[in-house]
């Protein structure tokens, strides 16, 4: 008795990846800009604490948005592997491994985010601390969360660069999209290293992340509206690329 398995078509994989990519981008921007951007006051622990306690529902929505982003990241890592393993199974697996590592780091990092609310929300343990101590500890947890994001982006940067190189070599996608993803990966790596090694330049570097946003959004929209190019059977799975 034989068991047959039916593979998902490349077009379905691409469109599904496009939907997930849109969820990732939308949740990432909403969580960072509209949730944390409206609650965290840089350099003012008391003001940050007051805003969080006054909008606890909004703060928790930030957790939900990040969780949805990470769940989508895990699924999209598998879809990209399926789409690009005909180009190079080894590199496609490596890109997926780096992306899944990033998701694991950011998933654990969400505990730092939620810990700020636990400290300010009057838990039994936090009640032993004074108000100033609670505010300072909450700010520390939020700072750890911000640094945890950049730690995860080290792995995501590597994944993006490998993914971009696979897209460049794949006849199913325009090479320009791949070069954009490579550039995005370089930006993520540079931004993360700057955060930890040269933090005084981190704020000045933030506008460069616009390169990553444009590159990833372009790839997302291509997946959503164009999917993949049709490659006739018998054609090579990877276009020739000069070294």
């Amino acid at each position: 008795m034989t068991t047959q398995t039916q593979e998902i078509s490349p077009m379905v994989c691409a469109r599904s990846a496009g939907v997930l990519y849109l969820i990732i981008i939308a949740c990432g921007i909403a969580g960072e800009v509209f949730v944390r951007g409206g609650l965290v006051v840089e350099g003012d622990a008391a003001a940050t604490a007051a805003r969080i306690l006054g909008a606890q529902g909004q703060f928790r929505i930030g957790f939900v948005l990040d969780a949805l982003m990470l769940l989508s990241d895990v699924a999209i890592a598998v879809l990209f592997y399926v789409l690009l393993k005909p180009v190079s199974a080894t590199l496609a697996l490596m890109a997926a491994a780096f992306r899944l590592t990033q998701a694991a780091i950011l998933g654990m990092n969400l505990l730092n985010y939620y810990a700020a609310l636990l400290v300010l929300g009057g838990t039994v343990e936090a009640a032993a601390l004074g108000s100033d101590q609670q505010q300072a500890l909450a700010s520390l947890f939020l700072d750890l969360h911000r640094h945890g994001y950049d730690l995860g982006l080290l792995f995501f940067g590597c994944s993006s660069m490998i993914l971009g190189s696979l897209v460049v070599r794949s006849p199913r996608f325009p090479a320009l999209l791949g070069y954009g993803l490579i550039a995005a990966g370089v930006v993520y790596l540079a931004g993360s290293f700057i955060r930890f090694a040269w933090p005084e330049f981190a704020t000045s570097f933030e506008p460069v992340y616009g390169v990553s946003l444009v590159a990833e959004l372009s790839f997302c929209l291509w997946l959503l509206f164009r999917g993949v190019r049709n490659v006739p059977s018998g054609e090579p799975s990877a276009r020739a690329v000069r070294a």
Side-chain angles (χ1 to χ4, degrees):
M1 182 176 179
T2 60
T3 302
Q4 294 183 343
T5 58
Q6 186 176 2
E7 292 289 338
I8 300 175
S9 72
M11 184 61 75
V12 172
C13 277
R15 293 281 168 78
S16 300
V19 172
L20 291 171
Y21 222 142
L22 189 61
I23 292 173
I24 291 168
I25 293 172
C27 288
I29 292 176
E32 188 63 30
V33 176
F34 300 111
V35 175
R36 286 181 286 277
L39 295 178
V40 177
V41 182
E42 292 293 335
D44 194 333
T48 298
R51 290 189 180 188
I52 291 174
L53 290 175
Q56 294 186 42
Q58 180 181 341
F59 189 85
R60 289 189 173 94
I61 288 174
F63 181 95
V64 172
L65 290 171
D66 276 9
L68 289 175
M69 178 184 70
L70 295 176
L71 291 172
S72 299
D73 240 338
V74 172
I76 206 172
V78 176
L79 292 176
F80 282 154
Y81 170 74
V82 172
L83 278 172
L84 294 166
K85 69 177 179 179
V87 179
S88 172
T90 301
L91 289 178
L93 182 60
M94 192 178 298
F98 275 117
R99 192 168 195 131
L100 291 173
T101 301
Q102 175 241 195
I105 291 173
L106 296 189
M108 291 299 297
N109 190 45
L110 277 178
L111 291 176
N112 285 323
Y113 177 76
Y114 204 76
L117 184 60
L118 293 178
V119 168
L120 296 173
T123 61
V124 174
E125 294 80 7
L129 303 173
S131 176
D132 291 344
Q133 292 174 313
Q134 290 178 359
Q135 293 167 4
L137 188 56
S139 289
L140 175 60
F141 277 125
L142 292 174
D143 195 34
L144 286 172
H145 175 255
R146 182 167 58 250
H147 281 76
Y149 243 98
D150 282 296
L151 178 61
L153 288 179
L154 282 174
F155 294 88
F156 185 66
C158 292
S159 177
S160 295
M161 292 174 65
I162 299 169
L163 183 69
S165 70
L166 291 169
V167 170
V168 168
R169 295 170 56 189
S170 174
R172 295 188 181 277
F173 302 101
L176 183 61
L177 293 174
Y179 290 121
L181 291 174
I182 293 172
V186 171
V187 169
Y188 286 130
L189 282 173
S192 294
F193 280 121
I194 286 172
R195 169 70 70 184
F196 289 100
W198 304 281
E200 64 272 19
F201 299 112
T203 301
S204 301
F205 187 81
E206 287 178 357
V208 185
Y209 284 107
V211 173
S212 300
L213 177 59
V214 171
E216 291 192 86
L217 186 58
S218 298
F219 190 42
C220 168
L221 294 177
W222 178 275
L223 292 168
L224 276 173
F225 296 106
R226 295 295 299 274
V228 291
R229 289 170 171 167
N230 183 36
V231 179
S233 59
E235 288 196 11
S237 58
R239 62 165 68 92
V241 179
R242 293 182 180 180

